[in-house]
């Protein structure tokens, strides 16, 4: 027992934060890998004119993630964040390999791959819900934005990794290229599994289960000041005591009672807007977007995803630098406004200058990606991780993740269909309008959370609910 205790004490805070956020690599890799695999898959299975089938193959992971996020969020309240992250890594490994060995059975191959990628999506959705919750519960309030932003850095690093892998494998025979691209996703999943084996459980989860001694030990790994540990434990215990005194049984309906409704709508709304703004249309289909704009074959445009990936990684690092220097709401509103204009301006320019260079839209897409990378991309997951009260955090994080994936799935599914029936500029203009609506939503419905403890954020939401109850006309 003493040997185990000594081994546990060797776990550094850097190790905890690195592998606590490493699940984002899986999330990012599978977002990005189909970008390069799709042109080869289309050629190998003769799907060039099957827009709906291409949409389903691309979006199948997101469809599975809708359910994976909700299921993992609920189970993590019962079994813990750490155990569910381990389970997600196993599921990801298995179905990544099965994707790479898809049998060649004509049209049936596409349906096999769709089903396998849906099951793979369970793990991707679980990671998207569990990692922000785990990181927010481990990080101190003053650094929570920056440390939770590690999740976004991992996500975009996973995307960039997949783009580079796609580029390096593009000269292989078509069938081998896309199979290796999809199958190699099992490698980061294995690394995650091995790393998380040494991670401790979240102190808030441990305390909720009555294990104060272990919760204190975990906090000692990541908090240097004993007084800070005592204060944080006392704050968490007080919140848990109030919940027990109320004899509250958490259910899905609990999320929308007067006490929690405001914070749940804010968190879920931001998560949904992030995807309906159209970012993943760029990430999934940028080679096809460039092909439609220039006429060049999509398989020869695999450098563009790398450009987008580099912008995303640099943006995530910029975010970590500014995360705790600017209010969350300010960054979301500024980012959303520029993103909306980046989608709408090409339509205006094309209307005023019919002979506009077709690559102009790609330039504006790069501007969109740059602002998305240090505003909506990381802040969505920071807010999801910190805005929900402890009593509902697992369920609410899962619900937010599911709405996020519903948006991602729909964008991935309908974008090739929309671009087949209308100009690309018009499609992006629709996304631009949604970006502006997102800015309005943040302005009117989202509270500021920077610098507040999780318990202070919960109190803020509770007070808002009381005000609404006493002033129903508001």
């Amino acid at each position: 027992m003493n040997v185990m205790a000594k081994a546990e004490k060797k776990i550094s805070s850097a190790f905890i934060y690195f592998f606590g956020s490493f699940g984002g690599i899986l999330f990012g890799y599978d977002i990005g890998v189909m970008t390069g695999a799709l042109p080869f898959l289309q050629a190998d299975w003769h799907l060039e004119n099957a827009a709906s089938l291409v949409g389903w193959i691309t979006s199948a992971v997101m469809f599975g993630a809708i359910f994976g996020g909700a299921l993992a969020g609920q189970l993590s309240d019962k079994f813990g964040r750490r155990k569910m992250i381990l389970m997600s890594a196993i599921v990801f490994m298995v179905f990544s390999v099965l994707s790479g060995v898809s049998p060649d059975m004509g049209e049936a191959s596409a349906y096999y791959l769709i089903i396998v990628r849906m099951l793979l999506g369970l793990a991707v959705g679980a990671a998207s819900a569990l990692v922000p919750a785990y990181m927010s519960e481990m990080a101190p309030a003053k650094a929570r934005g920056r440390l939770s932003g590690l999740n976004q850095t991992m996500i975009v690093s996973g995307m960039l990794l997949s783009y580079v892998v796609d580029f390096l494998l593009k000269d292989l025979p078509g069938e081998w290229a896309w199979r290796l691209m999809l199958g190699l996703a099992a490698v980061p999943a294995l690394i995650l599994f091995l790393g998380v084996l040494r991670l401790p459980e979240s102190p808030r989860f441990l305390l909720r289960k009555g294990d104060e001694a272990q919760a204190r030990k975990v906090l000692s790994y990541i908090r240097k000041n004993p007084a800070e540990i005592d204060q944080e434990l006392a704050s968490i215990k007080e919140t848990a005591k109030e919940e027990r005194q109320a004899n509250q049984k958490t259910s899905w309906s609990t999320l929308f009672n007067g006490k929690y409704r405001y914070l749940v709508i804010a968190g879920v709304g931001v998560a949904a807007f992030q995807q309906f703004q159209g970012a993943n249309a760029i990430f999934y289909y940028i080679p096809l977007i460039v092909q439609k704009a220039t006429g060049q074959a999509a398989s020869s445009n695999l450098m563009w995803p790398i450009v987008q990936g580099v912008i995303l990684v640099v943006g995530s690092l910029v975010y970590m630098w500014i995360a705790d220097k600017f209010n969350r709401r300010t960054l979301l509103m500024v980012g959303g406004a520029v993103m909306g204009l980046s989608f709408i301006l090409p339509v205006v320019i094309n209307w005023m200058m019919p002979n506009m260079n077709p690559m102009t839209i790609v330039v504006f897409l790069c501007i969109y990606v740059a602002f998305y990378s240090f505003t909506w991309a990381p802040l969505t997951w920071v807010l999801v991780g910190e805005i929900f009260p402890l009593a509902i955090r697992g369920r609410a994080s899962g619900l937010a993740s599911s709405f996020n994936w519903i948006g991602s799935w729909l964008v991935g599914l309908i974008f090739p269909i929309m671009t087949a029936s209308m100009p690309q500029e018009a499609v992006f203009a629709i996304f631009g309008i949604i970006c502006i609506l997102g800015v309005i939503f943040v302005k009117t419905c989202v509270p500021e959370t920077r610098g507040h403890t999780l318990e202070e954020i919960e109190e803020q939401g509770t007070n808002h609910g009381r005000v609404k109850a006493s002033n129903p006309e508001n």
Side-chain angles (χ1 to χ4, degrees), residues 303-377:
M303 183 57 73
W304 276 104
I306 295 179
V307 172
Q308 304 283 1
V310 170
I311 294 173
L312 285 169
V313 171
V314 171
S316 74
L317 296 177
V318 170
Y319 169 75
M320 291 180 69
W321 177 52
I322 67 173
D324 295 304
K325 298 178 181 179
F326 296 93
N327 285 344
R328 317 280 198 243
R329 282 161 42 91
T330 300
L331 289 174
L332 286 173
M333 288 188 287
V334 171
V338 176
M339 288 155 53
L341 290 174
S342 298
F343 277 152
I344 294 170
L345 283 177
V347 177
V348 176
I349 294 173
N350 191 48
W351 175 66
M352 297 176 65
M353 302 170 58
N355 296 323
M356 176 185 76
N357 188 318
M359 286 300 290
T360 301
I361 190 172
V362 180
V363 173
F364 275 101
L365 292 185
C366 289
I367 296 172
Y368 172 99
V369 171
F371 276 82
Y372 175 82
S373 68
F374 66 88
T375 58
W376 280 83

Side-chain angles (χ1 to χ4, degrees), residues 104-405:
D104 195 347
M105 304 179 296
E107 187 173 324
S109 300
Y111 294 107
Y112 167 90
L113 187 55
I114 289 170
I115 292 171
V116 168
R117 283 177 57 77
M118 282 183 184
L119 295 172
L120 175 61
L122 294 175
V124 175
S128 73
L130 294 168
V131 171
Y134 182 84
M135 289 298 291
S136 69
E137 293 179 0
M138 300 296 281
K142 63 183 179 181
R144 195 170 56 238
R146 186 172 67 255
L147 289 174
S148 295
L150 275 175
N151 179 45
Q152 178 60 22
T153 301
M154 290 294 186
I155 291 172
V156 296
S157 296
M159 293 173 67
L160 179 57
L161 174 64
S162 71
Y163 296 150
V164 171
V165 169
D166 289 350
F167 185 80
L168 293 176
L169 298 178
K170 67 182 178 65
D171 293 325
L172 291 177
E175 181 178 0
W176 280 102
W178 69 261
R179 290 185 184 278
L180 279 175
M181 291 172 185
L182 299 182
L184 284 174
V187 175
L190 176 61
I191 295 172
L192 174 67
F193 180 83
L194 296 176
V196 173
L197 282 176
R198 292 194 64 215
L199 288 187
E201 184 51 85
S202 155
R204 283 178 171 81
F205 175 80
L206 291 169
L207 202 58
R208 188 179 183 189
K209 294 300 181 183
D211 193 348
E212 182 175 345
Q214 187 64 24
R216 181 180 293 275
K217 181 182 292 185
V218 172
L219 282 174
S220 73
Y221 300 153
I222 52 181
R223 308 284 192 271
K224 295 181 180 180
N225 189 339
E228 184 182 359
I229 295 174
D230 292 336
Q231 183 179 3
E232 188 162 350
L233 282 172
S235 181
I236 299 170
K237 286 166 67 176
E238 181 61 29
T239 301
K241 179 180 177 182
E242 291 176 0
E243 292 164 359
R244 287 195 299 270
Q245 288 175 342
N247 194 28
Q248 184 180 44
K249 294 183 178 179
T250 303
S251 64
W252 286 108
S253 61
T254 307
L255 302 185
F256 296 100
N257 69 24
K259 181 178 180 180
Y260 299 125
R261 185 187 304 120
Y262 171 61
L263 294 177
V264 170
I265 290 174
V268 172
V270 168
F273 267 111
Q274 187 207 41
Q275 291 302 329
F276 282 109
Q277 290 168 339
N280 280 349
I282 303 172
F283 304 145
Y284 300 144
Y285 297 111
I286 186 63
L288 300 179
I289 292 170
V290 177
Q291 174 181 285
K292 190 161 187 177
T294 65
Q296 298 174 356
S299 58
S300 66
N301 287 314
L302 295 189
M303 183 57 73
W304 276 104
I306 295 179
V307 172
Q308 304 283 1
V310 170
I311 294 173
L312 285 169
V313 171
V314 171
S316 74
L317 296 177
V318 170
Y319 169 75
M320 291 180 69
W321 177 52
I322 67 173
D324 295 304
K325 298 178 181 179
F326 296 93
N327 285 344
R328 317 280 198 243
R329 282 161 42 91
T330 300
L331 289 174
L332 286 173
M333 288 188 287
V334 171
V338 176
M339 288 155 53
L341 290 174
S342 298
F343 277 152
I344 294 170
L345 283 177
V347 177
V348 176
I349 294 173
N350 191 48
W351 175 66
M352 297 176 65
M353 302 170 58
N355 296 323
M356 176 185 76
N357 188 318
M359 286 300 290
T360 301
I361 190 172
V362 180
V363 173
F364 275 101
L365 292 185
C366 289
I367 296 172
Y368 172 99
V369 171
F371 276 82
Y372 175 82
S373 68
F374 66 88
T375 58
W376 280 83
L379 279 169
T380 294
W381 301 111
V382 173
L383 279 168
V384 165
E386 69 187 3
I387 201 170
F388 300 127
L390 177 62
I392 62 167
R393 185 165 299 135
R395 289 180 186 272
S397 296
L399 183 66
S401 176
S402 293
F403 269 83
N404 186 270
W405 284 110

Side-chain angles (χ1 to χ4, degrees), residues 258 261 462-474:
R261 185 187 304 120
T462 301
N463 290 338
H464 188 278
R466 288 172 183 158
V467 171
K468 285 291 185 181
S470 60
N471 299 282
E473 69 275 8
N474 294 333

